[in-house]
Amino acid sequence: MTEPRLRRIYEDAAYAAESLSGCWWAETCPDLPNTPLSGEQRAEFAVIGAGFTGLSAALHLARSGADVAVLDLHRPGWGASGRNGGFCCLGGAKADGATLARRYGEDQRLAFRRTERRAIEFVSDRIDELGLDVDRQSPGGEIQLAHSRAAFRAMQAEQAQTGADYGISPQLLTPDDLRAQGLNAAGMQGGLALPLGFGLNPRKYVLGLARAATQQSIRLHGESPVLSHEYRDGWHVLVTPQGRLLARNLIVATNGYSAENIPEWIAGRILPVQSSIVVTRPLTEAERQAQNWTTDSMAYDSRNLLHYFRLLPDGRMLFGMRGAVRWTAASQAAILDRTRRHFRAMFPKWRHVTFTHGWSGLVAMTRDLVPFVGQMGDLPRAHAAFAWHGNGVAMGSWCGEQVARMALGKTHELPAFMSVQPRRFPLAGWRRAFLYPAYLAYGIKDRG
């Protein structure tokens, strides 16, 4: 009998366990004990994906009295949840405020802004509630740096609206302010400080959620990829290499690591995009002073192909960017080399600094550039939550609880547009190829 094959749009290496190689976070926190699914089991709820979203959903379901089993391709936290930049911050959609207002109305735009803030608060509350040690830092929030004068003018124009949207007092920073506050990066024309969010070790956070899940009697099965799905006689039937799980209800929380046929409804609705990160050796105090980057705030720039970066608690510098389209040994080496070059251009006083780690992961986008949390078409008792557009620490965690509430028939706290069925990409089988011209156009625009 031929084993079912998962349909994915990247090369197989992107989904192999070894793709986590080089990740700094993996060295800070060991894997949890693992029990792959074996034999035939039943559950009230099956959750596919043991990351922020899936584990948050499972915890809410279990606390509501449900019997829950969670399945994951590899180990909990192996995917984007355990390898991202550790920014618990605003975000979740790539569509800007004007686009949200035009499509869905001003009330929905404001509702999404409230959701962004609530998502950060949710993670903070969950960390405190569970007593998790996640190396929390950056209490002052995050800094957006203007890479051009036009970007700085846009920040000036949007400062008051940003403050009103989130109920904060954002601080506009001139180039002199940046230097005075230890935020000196080459070419930056100013910035906007947003006193919301914090940095963390994402692997410690996601594995903390996983430990809490097992304490709630949630069955957690790593190394249990779902190879096929069908709905039969009132059951979702999920087949793994060593077992089969029958569940009355299904939640899919696989985000950028989704397969096109688990379930078939998801095909063409998600565009996974690579994000790559490098980490330096610990910088000395003298080196930090020489570059005049001494802040522990999270930071990112205003480019379309943005850079994001922050000092870690032990003095290492984390620096990430987008831009790769293929996942081969050669393409991974090339994007990590390019990331290091961009780092050295932004921080020229650190050109001599060596890098100890480098890795990539997959984030997810939808065609309309907004998240989705809701029912999967007409598939009975089946929900999904995905597409955080590179900001899944907060939004993915919050939406995990919200999708669980939906699945239980409870009220939720999300803007209505987030539950609208995401449209499929045109020529969906070729959609990754469209990234080549898109990245080229964004690169040209970012130089303007």
Side-chain angles (χ1 to χ4, degrees), residues 329-384:
S331 66
Q332 288 304 297
I335 188 60
L336 292 177
D337 183 63
R338 184 181 176 198
T339 305
R340 289 187 285 266
R341 291 200 309 271
H342 281 233
F343 170 89
R344 293 182 177 116
M346 185 169 286
F347 302 105
K349 296 295 185 181
W350 294 341
R351 288 181 179 274
H352 67 286
V353 173
T354 56
F355 297 85
T356 60
H357 297 78
W359 69 97
S360 298
L362 297 175
V363 303
M365 303 170 65
T366 60
R367 182 176 173 184
D368 290 321
L369 304 179
V370 296
F372 172 72
V373 183
Q375 173 76 28
M376 290 190 284
D378 58 2
L379 189 60
R381 296 194 298 276
H383 292 77

Side-chain angles (χ1 to χ4, degrees), residues 5 8 19 21 65 73 98 105 173 199 287 299 301 311 321 331 366 385 401 426 441:
R5 179 169 176 80
R8 296 161 167 154
S19 74
S21 177
L73 173 64
L173 303 171
E287 287 171 328
D301 65 24
L311 280 172
M321 62 178 288
S331 66
T366 60
E401 175 148 317

Side-chain angles (χ1 to χ4, degrees), residues 95 97-105 108 367-370 417 423:
T99 301
L100 294 176
R102 184 178 66 254
R103 285 185 190 159
Y104 312 114
Q108 289 288 286
R367 182 176 173 184
D368 290 321
L369 304 179
V370 296
F417 74 82
R423 297 182 297 160

Side-chain angles (χ1 to χ4, degrees), residues 50-305:
F52 301 140
T53 305
L55 292 171
S56 293
L59 282 167
H60 186 83
L61 293 168
R63 289 173 173 180
S64 300
D67 172 41
V68 187
V70 181
L71 306 176
D72 199 84
L73 173 64
H74 294 297
R75 296 294 186 93
W78 170 88
S81 294
R83 65 174 81 186
N84 62 81
F87 286 52
C88 183
C89 61
L90 299 170
K94 185 69 172 172
D96 61 21
T99 301
L100 294 176
R102 184 178 66 254
R103 285 185 190 159
Y104 312 114
E106 178 62 11
D107 61 330
Q108 289 288 286
R109 185 192 72 82
L110 288 172
F112 186 70
R113 295 294 179 246
R114 291 191 294 269
T115 297
E116 291 178 82
R117 177 161 185 165
R118 181 67 189 96
I120 295 171
E121 295 167 347
F122 175 81
V123 174
S124 182
D125 292 345
R126 180 55 54 87
I127 290 169
D128 291 343
E129 172 205 347
L130 297 177
L132 304 182
D133 177 8
V134 298
D135 299 336
R136 183 167 174 164
Q137 64 173 145
S138 312
E142 63 179 340
I143 313 291
Q144 182 184 20
L145 297 174
H147 78 288
S148 66
R149 290 187 177 88
F152 185 60
R153 288 193 295 271
M155 290 178 186
Q156 289 177 299
E158 295 166 3
Q159 179 185 10
Q161 184 67 67
T162 299
D165 285 350
Y166 297 114
I168 58 175
S169 298
Q171 179 189 5
L172 198 67
L173 303 171
T174 66
D176 287 342
D177 294 329
L178 295 180
R179 288 186 287 271
Q181 296 185 28
L183 290 158
N184 186 48
M188 296 301 111
Q189 304 298 311
L192 191 66
L194 303 172
L196 279 176
F198 54 92
L200 50 65
N201 180 322
R203 183 172 172 85
K204 288 186 177 181
Y205 170 48
V206 71
L207 293 189
L209 295 180
R211 281 190 293 271
T214 60
Q215 293 164 6
Q216 290 284 333
S217 299
I218 294 167
R219 287 172 279 161
L220 196 55
H221 301 291
E223 307 297 344
S224 300
V226 178
L227 302 177
S228 68
H229 163 270
E230 64 175 324
Y231 184 74
R232 185 175 68 237
D233 300 327
W235 293 93
H236 291 277
V237 182
L238 308 173
V239 176
T240 71
Q242 300 178 47
R244 190 168 76 148
L245 177 64
L246 280 69
R248 290 297 188 187
N249 302 274
L250 174 66
I251 292 177
V252 175
T254 43
N255 203 45
Y257 290 87
S258 298
E260 298 279 273
N261 53 334
I262 307 295
E264 290 287 347
W265 171 89
I266 211 166
R269 300 184 193 272
I270 299 174
L271 176 58
V273 176
Q274 290 188 53
S275 193
S276 300
I277 295 174
V278 295
V279 170
T280 71
R281 63 158 171 80
L283 299 164
T284 66
E285 177 63 26
E287 287 171 328
R288 294 195 292 270
Q289 292 290 342
Q291 176 59 50
N292 192 17
W293 187 275
T294 57
T295 179
D296 69 351
S297 293
M298 304 175 292
Y300 66 102
D301 65 24
S302 54
R303 293 177 172 88
N304 291 284
L305 297 176

